[in-house]
């Protein structure tokens, strides 16, 4: 049996005890086991702080950027092997696996370019210097320097490659050592990426640590200069925010959690138009891709009242074309859910929605899955619901069904009403608005914006080049308020701030500029 190891204090180590099993969600076969029992995590964190931190801080942004570029290339070279692991352990189709793995290498490459652009400096200057005294000598300015702790990254099961890489790229470029703890259930891809990163030789000792398996005592050893970046469910996020170590030592924490993302179909959009095609493709892709296990997937679809049945039928017709089954088959478009627990949770959530909404496509308890062995595997049918009288307190507005499930609901045709219903989700990662009507766009988008980290606006003019709302871009921020965790990641240079301390400097302008590396 393949027993996964952790990379701690500069060496690969295995925990003791029976450990957890990592499965193939199509066959339920056990692929590997993993345990973190008995591992010295306090020592590993100290090693990262004392060895990795100074080594990274001695490098310039340009040098760290080159290091990140080497990682991107090394991972890309093993793309096919990683795709195979994602199909086996994640239930990913080939296309799902590419989305995750190419997202990882693309994000690393983007931050490598940013390092080059920031150049041969170790300090980031924030904004212009401000004159404080009577003469043009006494000034104030703000600088960012890397924090002297460890960046602990706790990731969700659905993006084992991208989740690891998007956080690691930003932290390493900022100059902080990374301590990655991926989700246990889909850990094979993350584990292989960790091996590739270590084997690349690009990382100084202590710059990267990897904990395969349960979190153990990791978070109890956090210190004031450390940061904790978490992606996962909101209840785990709440637990982490309340950790004694986090509260007592004011550990900086970023939480990326659940989101009931929405799509709004504009009042004037005609069936058969480019805009309708964009909307339909986005909704169906988000239900199908990664079997709906995407934090950014569209869960709520708002359409003008009076068009509910027409649009629900349109979506249902497209969903009928999705072939569910073993994801290694070329004819399969949607693989299984990742774990048995996921299957149970998705079915339970769907049953709650079924109490108030009409199921217009799919079945909660049965599915025909191509290539399935008997009743093995965690397969699930896409589920489309329609609900004609949505209210803010509905389960649809407060329970995330993390699978191939969405609900179509009406709004009164105004941007204000659409925004009111979207906001009932309690804060989200992304919502997409499809309309060419300028007044509708403005009222809807400005109504939605305070409740979201990102809004995508589909119009006829950009329909042919629009990027899917579910695609997180390194150039733009990712995260959202409220239910979505209140976090913010990526966004180019903005993402570096989490891993750095902003300090106000006061004094002689020439001294400030010399310290900041301007002279
Ligand atoms: P989860 O159960 O909250 O687990 C997330 C991570 O937290 C895993 O690595 C898990 O480890 C770890 N964990 C669990 N309990 C912990 C504790 N007490 N202390 C420290 N770490 C702990 O979430 P999930 O099921 O993996 O992911 C699905 C959820 O993530 C969905 O709700 C989805 O919306 C959300 N998500 C959000 C984003 C975003 O960017 N906002 C992205 C992806 C997913 P083990 O696996 O070892 O239990």
């Amino acid at each position: 049996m393949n027993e996964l190891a952790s990379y701690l204090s500069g060496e690969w180590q295995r925990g003791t005890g029976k450990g957890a099993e990592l499965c193939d969600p199509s066959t339920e076969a056990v692929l590997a086991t993993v345990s973190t029992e008995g591992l010295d995590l306090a020592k590993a964190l100290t090693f990262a702080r004392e060895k990795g931190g100074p080594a990274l801080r001695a490098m310039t942004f340009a040098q760290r950027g080159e290091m990140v570029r080497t990682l991107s290339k090394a991972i890309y070279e093993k793309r096919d092997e990683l795709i195979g692991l994602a199909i086996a352990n994640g239930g990913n189709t080939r296309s799902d696996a590419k989305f995750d793995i190419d997202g990882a290498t693309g994000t690393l490459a983007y931050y490598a370019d940013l390092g080059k652009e920031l150049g041969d400096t170790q300090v980031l200057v924030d904004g212009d210097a401000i004159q404080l005294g009577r003469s043009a000598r006494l000034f104030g300015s703000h600088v960012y320097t890397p924090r002297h702790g460890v960046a602990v990254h706790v990731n969700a099961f659905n993006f084992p490659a991208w989740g690891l890489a998007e956080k690691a790229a930003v932290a390493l470029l900022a100059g902080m050592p990374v301590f990655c703890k991926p989700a246990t259930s889909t850990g094979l891809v993350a584990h292989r990426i960790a091996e590739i990163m270590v084997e690349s030789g690009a990382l100084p000792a202590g710059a990267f640590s990897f904990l395969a398996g349960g979190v153990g005592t990791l978070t109890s050893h956090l210190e004031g200069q450390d940061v904790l970046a978490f992606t996962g469910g909101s209840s785990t996020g709440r637990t982490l925010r309340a950790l004694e170590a986090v509260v007592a030592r004011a550990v900086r924490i970023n939480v990326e959690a659940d989101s009931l993302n929405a799509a709004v179909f504009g009042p004037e959009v005609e069936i058969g138009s480019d805009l309708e095609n964009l909307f339909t493709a986005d909704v169906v892709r988000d239900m199908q891709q990664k079997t709906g296990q995407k934090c950014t997937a569209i869960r709520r679809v708002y359409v003008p009242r009076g068009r509910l049945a027409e649009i629900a039928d349109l979506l249902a017709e497209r969903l009928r074309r999705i072939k569910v089954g073993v994801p290694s088959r070329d004819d399969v478009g949607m693989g299984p859910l990742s774990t048995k627990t996921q299957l149970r949770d998705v079915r339970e959530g769907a049953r709650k929605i079924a109490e108030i909404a009409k199921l217009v496509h799919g079945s909660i308890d049965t599915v025909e899955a191509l290539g399935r062995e008997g009743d093995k595997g965690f397969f699930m049918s896409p589920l489309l619901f329609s609900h004609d009288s949505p209210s803010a307190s509905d389960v649809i507005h407060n329970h995330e069904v993390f699978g191939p499930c969405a609900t179509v609901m009406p709004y009164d045709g105004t941007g204000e009403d659409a925004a009111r219903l979207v906001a009932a989700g309690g804060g989200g990662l992304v919502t997409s608005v499809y309309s060419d009507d300028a007044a509708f766009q403005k009222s809807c988008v400005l109504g939605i914006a305070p409740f979201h980290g990102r809004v995508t606006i589909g119009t006829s003019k950009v329909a042919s080049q629009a990027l899917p709302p579910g695609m997180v871009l390194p150039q733009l921020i990712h995260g959202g308020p409220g239910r979505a965790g209140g976090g913010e990641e990526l966004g180019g240079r903005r993402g570096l701030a989490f891993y750095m301390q902003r300090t106000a400097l006061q004094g002689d302008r020439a001294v400030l500029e010399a310290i900041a590396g301007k002279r």
Side-chain angles (χ1 to χ4, degrees):
M1 179 56 64
N2 182 10
E3 279 178 53
L4 301 187
S6 294
Y7 190 67
L8 306 170
S9 305
E11 54 188 30
W12 291 97
Q13 305 175 26
R14 288 193 175 82
T16 53
K18 185 169 173 283
E21 293 177 338
L22 280 67
C23 294
D24 179 334
S26 300
T27 63
E28 302 181 37
V30 179
L31 303 173
T33 61
V34 64
S35 166
T36 54
E37 215 177 295
L39 296 174
D40 192 342
L41 303 180
K43 183 178 158 201
L45 285 166
T46 304
F47 182 83
R49 281 184 206 109
E50 292 182 355
K51 291 267 186 218
L56 290 169
R57 292 197 294 277
M59 297 163 78
T60 63
F61 281 104
Q63 289 168 330
R64 290 183 215 136
E66 274 319 295
M67 173 184 70
V68 169
R69 193 181 307 287
T70 305
L71 300 178
S72 173
K73 285 183 181 162
I75 297 167
Y76 187 79
E77 275 172 22
K78 303 282 192 242
R79 184 173 183 257
D80 282 336
E81 182 191 349
L82 291 167
I83 289 172
L85 290 174
I87 292 171
N89 182 214
N92 288 191
T93 60
R94 197 175 161 77
S95 155
D96 292 343
K98 285 195 274 188
F99 187 62
D100 185 23
I101 294 155
D102 293 346
T105 50
T107 305
L108 286 161
Y110 171 84
Y111 274 92
D113 288 346
L114 180 62
K116 188 174 177 191
E117 191 186 312
L118 295 172
D120 291 325
T121 181
Q122 289 157 323
V123 178
L124 278 187
V125 179
D126 177 32
D128 294 331
I130 308 142
Q131 185 171 330
L132 301 176
R134 286 190 308 279
S135 77
R137 198 160 255 288
L138 184 65
F139 266 70
S141 68
H142 294 87
V143 294
Y144 282 108
T145 51
R147 291 169 74 97
H148 281 210
V150 187
V152 173
H153 294 163
V154 177
N155 283 320
F157 76 83
N158 56 340
F159 282 99
W162 176 81
L164 184 162
E166 59 101 15
K167 286 185 170 64
V170 189
L172 290 171
L173 186 62
M176 277 194 89
V178 166
F179 198 115
C180 172
K181 186 249 163 299
T184 300
S185 60
T186 57
L188 271 186
V189 170
H191 181 265
R192 185 67 191 115
I193 288 179
E195 286 182 335
I196 295 165
M197 287 170 68
V198 172
E199 285 161 10
S200 77
L203 294 159
F208 180 73
S209 311
F210 180 81
L211 185 66
V215 74
T217 60
L218 180 68
T219 51
S220 63
H221 307 298
L222 291 170
E223 294 180 358
Q225 283 282 311
D226 297 337
V227 301
L228 174 61
F230 165 76
T231 296
S234 39
S235 67
T236 315
R238 271 196 300 278
T239 304
L240 296 189
R241 277 191 194 289
L243 284 173
E244 170 64 14
V246 168
V247 175
R249 290 163 220 154
V251 172
R252 191 178 278 181
I253 179 168
N254 191 70
V255 175
E256 298 289 342
D258 313 357
S259 178
L260 296 164
N261 313 291
V264 180
F265 189 80
E268 84 295 355
V269 183
E270 288 178 12
I271 303 298
S273 65
D274 288 348
L275 209 42
E276 176 268 307
N277 283 327
L278 178 67
F279 158 85
T280 309
D282 284 349
V283 175
V284 173
R285 183 192 308 102
D286 269 6
M287 293 181 68
Q288 174 178 4
Q289 193 172 47
K290 290 229 157 218
T291 319
Q293 299 163 115
K294 269 189 333 189
C295 54
T296 49
I298 296 166
R299 311 282 177 205
R300 302 175 291 146
V301 181
Y302 296 102
V303 304
R305 191 171 293 285
R307 301 185 72 182
L308 186 65
E310 174 192 25
I311 294 167
D313 286 350
L314 180 79
L315 291 170
E317 200 279 314
R318 293 287 184 90
L319 292 171
R320 270 192 281 280
R321 300 180 202 170
I322 297 174
K323 290 190 176 133
V324 177
V326 173
S328 53
R329 287 174 60 133
D330 290 342
D331 55 349
V332 161
M334 192 171 96
L337 291 162
S338 295
T339 60
K340 192 178 214 161
T341 313
Q342 261 293 103
L343 178 62
R344 183 202 63 202
D345 290 353
V346 169
R347 283 185 173 153
E348 272 177 22
R351 278 191 205 102
K352 285 185 191 162
I353 294 180
E355 286 171 15
I356 57 166
K358 185 172 118 196
L359 185 61
V360 290
H361 174 77
S363 158
I364 297 175
D365 294 301
T366 60
V367 62
E368 196 181 313
L370 298 172
R372 183 180 204 174
E373 294 167 21
D375 62 353
K376 290 283 183 202
F378 313 129
F379 297 97
M380 180 83 214
S381 142
L383 300 175
L384 186 72
F385 291 94
S386 140
H387 179 39
D388 58 13
S389 55
S391 95
S393 59
D394 286 344
V395 64
I396 300 159
H397 290 112
N398 55 49
H399 182 79
E400 180 198 48
V401 180
F402 203 55
C405 177
T407 306
V408 191
M409 294 169 278
Y411 68 97
D412 73 3
T414 66
E416 288 79 4
D417 193 48
R420 177 186 66 82
L421 286 164
V422 172
L429 296 172
V430 58
T431 274
S432 41
V433 178
Y434 305 82
S435 174
D436 285 325
D437 179 323
F440 180 84
Q441 288 163 351
K442 192 166 181 183
S443 60
C444 189
V445 171
L446 293 183
I448 285 171
F451 301 90
H452 286 79
R454 186 159 56 93
V455 180
T456 75
I457 306 155
T459 60
S460 299
K461 286 188 180 154
V462 297
S464 64
Q465 50 178 312
L467 299 169
M471 182 185 278
V472 174
L473 301 167
Q475 300 90 324
L476 303 181
I477 57 162
H478 171 63
R483 168 187 303 283
E488 192 177 291
E489 290 183 330
L490 299 171
R493 193 179 153 137
R494 293 170 188 86
L496 299 173
F498 179 67
Y499 299 98
M500 305 182 89
Q501 179 61 40
R502 180 162 50 186
T503 307
L505 302 181
Q506 265 173 260
D508 185 327
R509 184 174 196 171
V511 174
L512 302 190
E513 287 182 355
I515 288 171
K518 282 198 168 176
R519 288 186 173 199

